[in-house]
Amino acid sequence: MVGWVRRNYQIGNEDNTMIKAVIIDDVAQAIETLKEDLAAYCPEVELIGQADGVVSGAKLLRTLRPDVVFLDIQMQDGSGFDLLEILPSPSFKIIFTTASDAFAIKAFRFSAVDYLLKPIDPDELVEAVRKLQASEEASNESLDLLRENISEQTGPRRIALHTQEKISVVAVEDIIRCESTGNYTQFFFVNKEKLLVTRTLKEYDQLFREYGFARVHQSHLVNTRHIKEYVKTEGGYLLMKDGSHVSVSMRKKSEVMKLLENL
């Protein structure tokens, strides 16, 4: 059922600079806690409604025009994805809320979709709201990728990569290597294409660690499936299947040797 709707909400009031929000979650305590945190830490957010499920949430969103929806992933009458199928072209931004599930969190990170982990940390809530004001809505492709990655039993197979111009969805297995470029990361693919992504190499090192990638140098992360050979001369480097040479740092040499023995 719909918990409540703020009746004095004026749809389409362009002079109101508040961020208008709706919470959709089937756990009453989760709603109450988020309401309290928004009131305490995010005064720029005006809560205009709440619902406790997919059906009630869809009905609510047909009558309101929120700027953002805090949307639970799994509810009694379906998932957040089911709601988005009912409303296939949402005009609002989405911040998913999810319980502690390492696999689901990985799916969110691979899909480049915003989320908050329950119990929600106030600092993370404040940061999510701050990002909200500068970000665009999650694309349908990103949301489809999130659904796909959550359903994959063996882990995400594709990842959404943000550049300054677009979001590209690529297969993880097609990534040959990644190279640090300051606060950016240059991706190299099997089709010879390159992509400069607006995240650091450290972030991708953590993300890809379980998927056959190895940090062989401060500036280099490689997909071990695309290593052709290790050349010991000239300080030591990896020859990749695309013909590129990747330096191996002194402190990583023994680790790389062990890695190659186990491939």
Side-chain angles (χ1 to χ4, degrees), residues 93 114 128-138:
K93 298 176 183 179
D114 286 336
V129 171
R130 186 194 66 77
K131 287 171 56 182
L132 186 69
Q133 295 167 307
S135 67
E136 298 178 354
E137 295 89 347

Side-chain angles (χ1 to χ4, degrees), residues 1 18 108 117 120 125 173 186 193 227 252:
M1 77 180 194
M18 297 288 286
F108 277 103
L117 179 64
I120 296 172
L125 176 61
E173 65 182 12
Q186 184 83 63
E193 290 186 0
I227 295 175
K252 290 286 187 178

Side-chain angles (χ1 to χ4, degrees), residues 142-158:
S142 291
L143 295 173
D144 289 343
L145 179 59
L146 175 60
R147 184 201 293 265
E148 172 190 315
N149 283 340
I150 284 179
S151 66
E152 284 287 349
Q153 298 301 310
T154 57
R157 295 184 180 181
R158 298 195 299 159

Side-chain angles (χ1 to χ4, degrees), residues 43-224:
E44 69 273 35
V45 176
E46 178 186 9
L47 190 60
I48 60 171
Q50 68 185 56
D52 62 2
V54 171
V55 175
S56 58
K59 289 179 180 177
L60 182 67
L61 292 173
R62 284 195 176 109
T63 63
L64 300 182
R65 295 180 187 173
D67 300 308
V68 61
V69 174
F70 292 91
L71 180 61
D72 191 16
I73 279 284
Q74 202 61 50
M75 292 172 279
Q76 292 290 332
D77 63 344
S79 72
F81 299 118
D82 296 328
L83 185 146
L84 294 176
E85 284 188 357
I86 298 172
L87 303 169
S89 300
S91 59
F92 47 82
K93 298 176 183 179
I94 302 166
I95 297 178
F96 285 101
T97 58
T98 183
S100 181
D101 183 327
F103 186 82
I105 298 309
K106 201 169 295 179
F108 277 103
R109 295 180 67 195
F110 270 79
S111 307
V113 174
D114 286 336
Y115 70 94
L116 288 169
L117 179 64
K118 297 177 183 179
I120 296 172
D121 181 281
D123 288 338
E124 293 181 1
L125 176 61
V126 170
E127 177 64 15
V129 171
R130 186 194 66 77
K131 287 171 56 182
L132 186 69
Q133 295 167 307
S135 67
E136 298 178 354
E137 295 89 347
S139 68
N140 288 336
E141 190 169 20
S142 291
L143 295 173
D144 289 343
L145 179 59
L146 175 60
R147 184 201 293 265
E148 172 190 315
N149 283 340
I150 284 179
S151 66
E152 284 287 349
Q153 298 301 310
T154 57
R157 295 184 180 181
R158 298 195 299 159
I159 184 170
L161 299 176
H162 281 256
T163 71
Q164 290 184 324
E165 298 83 23
K166 60 184 178 179
I167 299 176
S168 297
V169 177
V170 303
V172 174
E173 65 182 12
D174 289 342
I175 301 169
I176 291 180
R177 62 187 181 93
C178 309
E179 183 174 339
S180 175
T181 308
N183 290 326
Y184 295 82
T185 300
Q186 184 83 63
F187 276 72
F188 297 82
F189 301 96
V190 292
N191 61 3
K192 306 295 184 181
E193 290 186 0
K194 296 188 293 185
L195 206 60
L196 187 63
V197 178
T198 55
R199 288 172 67 181
T200 65
L201 187 65
K202 180 180 179 181
E203 294 178 77
Y204 289 110
D205 179 21
Q206 296 169 344
L207 200 58
F208 290 149
R209 198 167 292 172
E210 298 176 31
Y211 298 92
F213 285 71
R215 186 81 172 265
V216 299
H217 188 280
Q218 182 178 355
S219 299
H220 299 290
L221 179 69
V222 301
N223 186 341
T224 58

